[in-house]
Amino acid sequence: MSRTYKYTFITLFLTLAFMVCSMAGMNFVIKTREKQLLTQAGEAAIESPVRAWNDRECNAQNELQEHHDSGRYRLSGIQIEHAVKSWNERIGETMHNPVEGQVSMEKAVKMGEEWLAEMNMSEGENNNSDADFTKATLSVGIQRESGERLLEPYYSFWTVNFSSRTMNAVLYLNAVTGKVWGAEIILYESMHKEPYENLCLFAELAGLEVSEKEFFQIGDSQTEATLAVNGGRLYVKQQCYSLGFNSKASDIWEENQTEKKYGNSIIRYQIMTD
């Protein structure tokens, strides 16, 4: 009788062991396959939509750079127009990692900080501390009709965010030149008395040619100004408006005025094509 129980116990033990081993083996196969699928999907998701410049192309661009560019590439007028038009007409964005010929995230953040300082945006009216970097992403614009070919590296832009007690800024830097070609700035204090005085400076810092013969216009609403650059093939635009409380009244108003106000002031810079 005891021998029968012994054989039964051994049979049950072997059966249980077989089931456990089978389940473990199946789980191992499933996890291996899952890891393979996730790896393949991850590789497909981060595939760059732009191509890298080879050594010959990088050297050719280096020959065009000016001394004050500090080692950054300088684009031709046609390249700038194509990049601006593509970015302005985007219907979405595809993020990707930097490729050869594009500035790194660290470089983009540093150049964004320098731009804020040059534009007198890095400090508040009371000499507050500089804005802190919060986020940066590299992406290329998605077009309504886009082919499968890889884009040139100058079609990408770094979107860099800065924030402080008195300001919030989103800067758009071209990924090849590293120059700020667009900005959206919210000031938590009053706007400058001359809100359009930095438009020429914005164009110059963007690497565009400005002369006294170029056309400057302020919109009828006194909230928009444009300046033709690069021989009139491009123009830069600045929009300024405020939403706050008049110091002499409690009504909310939206108007560009010079008197003291309490609320947000918004300034936008952008390069445009005809």
Side-chain angles (χ1 to χ4, degrees):
M1 192 71 174
S2 60
R3 181 175 297 179
T4 302
Y5 285 132
K6 183 178 180 180
Y7 289 152
T8 302
F9 175 78
I10 293 175
T11 303
L12 291 174
F13 175 78
L14 293 176
T15 302
L16 181 61
F18 176 77
M19 293 175 60
V20 171
C21 292
S22 298
M23 293 175 62
M26 183 60 68
N27 287 335
F28 175 77
V29 173
I30 292 175
K31 288 185 177 295
T32 301
R33 180 57 177 167
E34 181 182 14
K35 182 178 180 180
Q36 181 181 7
L37 290 174
L38 289 175
T39 302
Q40 293 174 350
E43 291 176 350
I46 63 174
E47 182 178 356
S48 176
V50 301
R51 74 178 186 90
W53 272 342
N54 56 40
D55 294 338
R56 178 180 59 82
E57 290 170 314
C58 287
N59 291 334
Q61 292 296 326
N62 274 321
E63 293 176 359
L64 293 175
Q65 70 185 27
E66 297 177 350
H67 177 70
H68 62 75
D69 277 339
S70 302
R72 297 187 292 274
Y73 300 127
R74 179 175 175 231
L75 301 178
S76 67
I78 296 299
Q79 290 174 325
I80 294 175
E81 291 177 34
H82 289 171
V84 167
K85 182 178 178 62
S86 174
W87 184 252
N88 290 347
E89 296 179 355
R90 70 190 186 281
I91 60 175
E93 298 175 22
T94 300
M95 291 187 293
H96 64 89
N97 293 324
V99 300
E100 185 67 34
Q102 295 181 333
V103 299
S104 65
M105 183 182 71
E106 292 77 12
K107 189 73 171 179
V109 173
K110 180 180 179 181
M111 297 176 73
E113 293 174 342
E114 294 174 353
W115 186 88
L116 289 173
E118 290 280 353
M119 297 288 286
N120 297 319
M121 295 290 181
S122 60
E123 294 183 348
E125 294 182 348
N126 299 321
N127 294 325
N128 295 310
S129 60
D130 290 347
D132 295 324
F133 159 71
T134 58
K135 183 177 68 173
T137 57
L138 177 63
S139 59
V140 66
I142 300 175
Q143 307 299 311
R144 294 187 182 277
E145 297 181 1
S146 58
E148 296 182 355
R149 67 180 182 85
L150 296 179
L151 297 173
E152 300 293 341
Y154 52 79
Y155 281 92
S156 300
F157 282 76
W158 279 104
T159 301
V160 187
N161 297 64
F162 294 93
S163 180
S164 72
R165 189 180 66 84
T166 60
M167 178 197 66
N168 186 285
V170 181
L171 308 183
Y172 303 98
L173 294 82
N174 182 266
V176 166
T177 66
K179 297 181 181 296
V180 177
W181 285 7
E184 298 175 3
I185 303 168
I186 299 177
L187 300 176
Y188 302 137
E189 297 181 348
S190 61
M191 190 180 296
H192 301 298
K193 292 183 178 180
E194 298 294 337
Y196 300 107
E197 62 185 2
N198 281 347
L199 183 55
C200 290
L201 179 59
F202 166 71
E204 293 172 356
L205 293 178
L208 304 176
E209 298 179 1
V210 181
S211 68
E212 296 180 356
K213 297 181 180 180
E214 305 295 357
F215 180 66
F216 183 87
Q217 176 182 359
I218 297 180
D220 296 337
S221 62
Q222 298 291 305
T223 60
E224 180 177 310
T226 59
L227 175 66
V229 295
N230 282 26
R233 299 181 64 90
L234 296 170
Y235 65 96
V236 291
K237 179 172 70 173
Q238 180 180 2
Q239 296 172 301
C240 303
Y241 60 93
S242 299
L243 181 61
F245 291 92
N246 191 315
S247 58
K248 298 180 181 180
S250 59
D251 295 333
I252 293 181
W253 50 271
E254 182 176 355
E255 187 179 355
N256 176 30
Q257 300 183 9
T258 58
E259 54 186 320
K260 182 68 176 179
K261 44 192 172 293
Y262 302 91
N264 294 343
S265 301
I266 302 176
I267 304 176
R268 291 192 178 98
Y269 294 98
Q270 190 176 8
I271 302 177
M272 306 290 292
T273 58
D274 294 328

